């Protein structure tokens, strides 16, 4: 076992006062650049690690983080992200970290807005925000800035906020890659469909809009000559969706390719399977969830683009912990890999934290 160093010991080794060492270790107050370098040199030499568990328990300091994410069912995308949050909370239990979960309807902006006052009253030390509704998120972050409560963004990065960190893919680049994947499967003059899910309050989520922007930029930058047809469907109304899709494909029989910019590509896969439509339709979707995987394997989805939601959920809680408890500087932009999955490589894919 290595020697336990007290602040007094570090001060003597550094040639500075105990007060200076205390300010550096606890990141409070100003010290000279020369003193900072002296102390940091000694800390490195002795491989100093503060006993944070003992400090936290001794001070009886408790930290409550609030997560604001969409409600979900078993096996859905947000369920996987929640698994990462749960794992981080379990690992940080000894540091008196508690995570309070608030949920909103991802297809109804009002449900997000209704939670903003509750977050302001939650007496929390940090907030994790899924950024589906841009204007509402900006309103919330401005309030958190005034309250000096740090926050982490997930799903899509929103510029001009003071988030301590963002975890997720580059949404624009993800859409740009999707454009290439689809374009390489069609002729330049072919028409294609973009399947969108109807939302209340906002037509699209922040991430979907950025993905579609990148998608269109790729196509129009690479001699795409066809037309793009938007098709608006519902998240969970299969009967009405069938009528919408029946009507669309009856009047657009030539369309054999399309994309969905969220995790519900399985809605189209289910439709194609139930209608016994041949597997020549080229469909690209997002996220590795079981319902999507079944259609990737049976051929109704050609590609899935994944973004490791479990890792996002885990890291966003860790980022608040590192910022508030460890007093570490956290990298602000943390892009996840953009994973491209097909039937032949899906069995090798893992998303371990």
């Amino acid at each position: 076992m290595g020697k336990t160093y007290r602040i007094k010991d570090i001060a003597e080794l550094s040639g500075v006062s105990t007060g200076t060492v205390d300010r550096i270790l606890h990141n409070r107050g100003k010290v000279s650049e020369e003193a900072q370098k002296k102390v940091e040199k000694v800390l490195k030499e002795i491989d100093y690690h503060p006993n944070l568990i003992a400090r936290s328990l001794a001070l009886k300091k408790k930290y409550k983080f609030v997560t604001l994410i969409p409600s979900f069912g078993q096996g859905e995308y947000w369920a996987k992200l929640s698994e990462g949050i749960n794992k981080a909370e379990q690992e940080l239990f000894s540091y008196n970290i508690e995570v309070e979960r608030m949920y909103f309807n991802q297809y109804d902006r009002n449900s997000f807005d209704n939670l903003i006052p509750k977050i302001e009253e939650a007496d929390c030390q940090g907030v994790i925000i899924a950024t589906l509704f841009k204007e509402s998120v900006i309103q919330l972050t401005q309030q958190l800035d005034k309250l000096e409560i740090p926050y982490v963004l997930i799903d899509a990065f929103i510029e001009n906020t003071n988030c301590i960190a963002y975890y997720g893919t580059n949404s624009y680049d993800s859409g740009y890659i999707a454009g290439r994947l689809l374009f390489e499967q069609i002729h330049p003059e072919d028409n294609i469909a973009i399947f969108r899910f109807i939302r209340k309050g906002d037509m699209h989520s922040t991430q979907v809009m950025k993905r579609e922007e990148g998608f269109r930029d790729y196509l129009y930058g690479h001699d795409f000559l066809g037309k793009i047809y938007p098709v608006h469907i519902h998240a969970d109304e299969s009967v009405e969706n069938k009528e919408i899709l029946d009507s669309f494909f009856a009047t657009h029989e030539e369309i054999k390719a399309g994309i969905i910019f969220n995790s519900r590509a399985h809605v189209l896969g289910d439709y194609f399977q139930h209608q016994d439509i041949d597997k020549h339709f080229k469909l690209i979707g997002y996220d590795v969830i079981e319902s999507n995987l079944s259609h990737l394997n049976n051929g109704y989805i050609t590609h899935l683009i994944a973004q490791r939601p479990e890792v996002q959920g885990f890291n966003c809680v860790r980022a608040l912990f590192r910022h508030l408890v460890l007093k570490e500087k956290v990298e602000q932009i943390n892009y996840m890999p953009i994973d491209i999955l097909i039937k032949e490589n899906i069995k090798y894919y893992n998303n371990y934290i």
Side-chain angles (χ1 to χ4, degrees), residues 82-295:
S82 184
E83 289 174 12
I85 292 172
N86 295 343
K87 183 173 177 60
E89 183 182 23
Q90 292 167 7
E91 289 196 3
L92 298 175
F93 174 79
S94 298
Y95 294 92
N96 293 326
I97 302 296
E98 172 194 355
V99 179
E100 178 180 344
R101 294 151 178 83
M102 296 186 183
Y103 300 103
F104 62 92
N105 182 342
Q106 62 180 302
Y107 299 104
D108 183 357
R109 176 177 171 177
N110 291 332
S111 69
F112 183 100
D113 293 342
N114 292 338
L115 291 176
I116 293 178
K118 295 182 180 181
I119 292 178
E120 294 171 355
E121 299 167 0
D123 188 27
C124 63
Q125 286 69 52
V127 181
I128 294 161
I129 310 168
T131 58
L132 277 73
F133 304 112
K134 181 177 180 180
E135 297 306 319
S136 296
V137 170
I138 290 174
Q139 177 187 343
L140 172 58
T141 58
Q142 289 174 344
Q143 278 300 109
L144 294 175
D145 288 339
K146 291 178 183 177
L147 296 169
E148 297 185 342
I149 297 174
Y151 50 90
V152 175
L153 304 182
I154 51 176
D155 198 48
F157 180 67
I158 296 181
E159 296 178 348
N160 302 317
T161 65
N162 296 309
C163 66
I164 64 163
Y166 162 70
Y167 290 93
T169 58
N170 183 310
S171 300
Y172 176 90
D173 286 352
S174 171
Y176 194 87
I177 290 169
R180 175 174 177 174
L181 291 174
L182 194 63
F183 190 63
E184 290 179 347
Q185 298 182 83
I186 64 174
H187 297 103
E189 64 277 6
D190 286 351
N191 297 333
I192 61 176
I194 292 179
F195 300 96
R196 299 172 177 162
F197 287 90
I198 297 169
R199 298 174 183 268
K200 296 177 183 178
D202 262 2
M203 196 59 191
H204 313 296
S205 75
T206 307
Q207 186 183 72
V208 165
M209 288 190 293
K210 293 302 292 183
R211 286 173 176 175
E212 183 170 333
E213 180 186 351
F215 178 80
R216 288 176 177 269
D217 282 355
Y218 181 88
L219 292 180
Y220 293 130
H222 291 80
D223 300 320
F224 173 67
L225 303 175
K227 293 181 180 179
I228 298 176
Y229 290 90
V231 185
H232 296 103
I233 55 179
H234 300 271
D236 297 301
E237 298 181 22
S238 57
V239 174
E240 191 168 351
N241 284 344
K242 182 180 182 305
E243 294 174 356
I244 293 169
L245 295 171
D246 283 348
S247 175
F248 176 75
F249 286 115
T251 55
H252 299 85
E253 293 181 354
E254 82 287 358
I255 293 184
K256 300 295 182 183
I259 188 168
I260 294 180
F261 290 111
N262 68 12
S263 63
R264 293 183 178 257
H266 58 88
V267 172
L268 263 292
D270 290 345
Y271 172 80
F272 292 149
Q273 189 171 31
H274 292 155
Q275 295 302 109
D276 198 25
I277 293 175
D278 66 42
K279 299 174 183 177
H280 293 128
F281 193 96
K282 309 301 182 184
L283 178 64
I284 293 177
Y286 280 76
D287 301 318
V288 179
I289 60 176
E290 289 303 319
S291 48
N292 282 344
L293 289 180
S294 66
H295 290 306

